[in-house]
Amino acid sequence: MSGDNIFSGLVEEHEGDARWAFGTGFTEALAGVDTTLPQNVNGQALSTYCQMLGDDALVCAQRLTHWVTDAPELEEEMALANIALDLLGQSRLLLARAGQADGTGRDEDDFAYWREADRFRNVCLAEAPRGDFARTIMTLLVLSSWRLALMARLRNSTDPVLAAIADKAVNELSYHREYAISWTLRLGDGTAYSRERMIEAVQDVWPFTGELFATHPVESELAAQGVGVDPATTREEIHGVLTQVLTTATLETPPAFSDGAISGRDGRHTDELVPLLAEMQKVAREHPEATW
């Protein structure tokens, strides 16, 4: 890197691309992808499935933005904001696919801003209280590990759009998990106080994990067709990952995941989702015709 300071160096490295500040690699994720629905696939089921995965990302992204101006260090504020942006990008693609699949033509804004809480299909862990930094890290560790396992499998989806979205998401989610692992190790094997906070974070987050592996009928239907993934198939992998991370962080790993009931996937949420959505949807609903 040349230049008198870091900023001039960055500009030189990305000369000719005014968008460098938003990351690298601007190839459109769906460029050249056939958006025609696969034969014999129920469009409504595919739409519902895309809403599930899209809502997980959207709600988690909104929760992570609560750390902007509130993170322990500026570097972590930027990291969490960028993770939220990655998830937002995944959500946009998935919700747009949902509108294509059900034939309504709705776009991502329609899904994000004009549904009530009982129409959202995210797992409850995504909307769980932010808590302190340790709890956010534990939530991110679980969600990114689980979502990475799903997306890695979805790269082989017979729906080319889902496969393309998943292929892009795998790289992003790998970083999200790596970030969460690094902080789990620092906090778990750090000071007595940081260890205490991580122990409590594990205890707070673990009760939400059972739902991640409960198979919804839509997931079962699409998995049988090679379109979707049965989340139950990721259970052992995710428990193995979390066991390895927590053991390395000198933290005790809770027992195997309980058999959770389907809740968020069918629109049954915690009390946390309504105020979170009210915050996210406020501007769009107060100025429905606004453009910017």
Side-chain angles (χ1 to χ4, degrees):
M1 178 184 296
S2 61
D4 296 331
N5 56 58
I6 187 171
F7 301 107
S8 61
L10 285 170
V11 171
E12 288 175 11
E13 287 187 15
H14 298 272
E15 188 174 357
D17 189 346
R19 301 171 300 172
W20 66 267
F22 300 101
T24 59
F26 296 104
T27 303
E28 171 57 49
L30 302 184
V33 175
D34 182 5
T35 60
T36 306
L37 292 188
Q39 264 192 330
N40 302 319
V41 170
N42 182 332
Q44 187 59 56
L46 178 56
S47 176
T48 299
Y49 186 57
C50 288
Q51 288 175 58
M52 292 175 179
L53 298 174
D55 288 349
D56 289 339
L58 177 62
V59 172
C60 185
Q62 180 66 17
R63 182 60 83 198
L64 285 173
T65 62
H66 292 169
W67 280 107
V68 175
T69 76
D70 204 24
E73 297 177 356
L74 180 59
E75 184 177 354
E76 308 319 319
E77 179 179 308
M78 295 296 292
L80 292 171
N82 277 300
I83 289 172
L85 284 173
D86 285 344
L87 292 171
L88 182 61
Q90 294 171 26
S91 178
R92 292 186 64 185
L93 293 173
L94 287 161
L95 295 180
R97 182 55 168 169
Q100 293 173 349
D102 66 11
T104 63
R106 288 178 289 177
D107 64 14
E108 63 267 29
D109 288 346
D110 291 321
F111 284 105
Y113 297 130
W114 303 107
R115 283 182 297 163
E116 302 301 328
D118 62 358
R119 304 300 296 174
F120 273 72
R121 295 181 173 276
N122 58 281
V123 293
C124 291
L125 180 55
E127 73 203 36
R130 186 195 83 171
D132 61 11
F133 186 70
R135 176 161 179 169
T136 291
I137 291 300
M138 188 61 202
T139 298
L140 183 60
L141 174 63
V142 173
L143 282 176
S144 61
S145 298
W146 171 70
R147 194 169 173 85
L148 177 57
L150 292 177
M151 290 296 171
R153 290 162 171 78
L154 277 174
R155 287 182 297 185
N156 296 317
S157 173
T158 56
D159 176 26
V161 175
L162 266 182
I165 294 171
D167 190 57
K168 177 178 184 293
V170 162
N171 290 332
E172 296 170 342
L173 292 163
S174 296
Y175 165 71
H176 302 175
R177 186 177 70 171
E178 180 183 343
Y179 177 83
I181 288 174
S182 67
W183 269 106
T184 300
L185 299 180
R186 290 174 67 181
L187 296 173
D189 195 22
T191 66
Y193 181 67
S194 70
R195 176 178 171 79
E196 175 189 329
R197 302 313 304 153
M198 277 307 301
I199 290 173
E200 185 171 331
V202 174
Q203 294 170 345
D204 288 344
V205 168
W206 211 258
F208 289 95
T209 57
E211 184 189 6
L212 304 182
F213 309 101
T215 307
H216 190 278
V218 165
E219 293 171 315
S220 181
E221 175 186 345
L222 293 180
Q225 296 176 323
V227 176
V229 173
D230 182 347
T233 63
T234 69
R235 178 190 293 262
E236 290 188 11
E237 175 184 339
I238 303 310
H239 193 267
V241 169
L242 296 180
T243 297
Q244 182 178 3
V245 174
L246 294 176
T247 299
T248 305
T250 70
L251 298 167
E252 183 177 346
T253 305
F257 304 118
S258 60
D259 292 327
I262 294 170
S263 178
R265 293 298 194 224
D266 278 337
R268 298 188 300 275
H269 295 280
T270 69
D271 292 339
E272 296 292 326
L273 185 59
V274 170
L276 184 147
L277 292 181
E279 176 186 73
M280 185 182 76
Q281 297 171 338
K282 180 179 174 62
V283 174
R285 293 193 173 202
E286 287 186 354
H287 306 281
E289 303 301 323
T291 57
W292 54 83

